[in-house]
Amino acid sequence: MGALPLLAIGVIEKLAFNTSHFAAMLENRLSGGGEEAFTMPGSFPMDPMTHLTPERFLSSPGLWIGLAIAAALLAAAVRLRRQQGPI
């Protein structure tokens, strides 16, 4: 049931615009985004530690957007829990 809206967005995007940007973004989010930290554009490292670029990973907007969303959801959970009372 939870995957149906995501699938619908992908199908509508493909039909309306003939693109798959949403699917690519979703795949990147679900795979963890590790390629942001370990690869350089246009190269294929043999050893993952060869091209470790933490500044590229830390400067990616996806990381900071994800952290902001996580902080907002955590704050909402704390607020809701405080309003409920004891379990």
Side-chain angles (χ1 to χ4, degrees), residues 13-78:
E13 177 193 10
K14 187 66 174 172
L15 291 174
F17 305 112
N18 198 22
T19 61
S20 59
H21 297 296
F22 182 77
M25 183 272 308
L26 191 60
E27 179 183 355
N28 186 22
R29 293 295 139 228
L30 292 176
S31 68
E35 65 276 357
E36 296 288 328
F38 292 107
T39 60
M40 298 182 73
S43 69
F44 182 75
M46 297 309 269
D47 179 24
M49 299 306 286
T50 303
H51 298 291
L52 183 62
T53 55
E55 65 275 355
R56 184 168 176 230
F57 177 68
L58 292 174
S59 67
S60 67
L63 172 71
W64 298 106
I65 291 169
L67 287 175
I69 290 171
L73 290 174
L74 183 62
V78 168

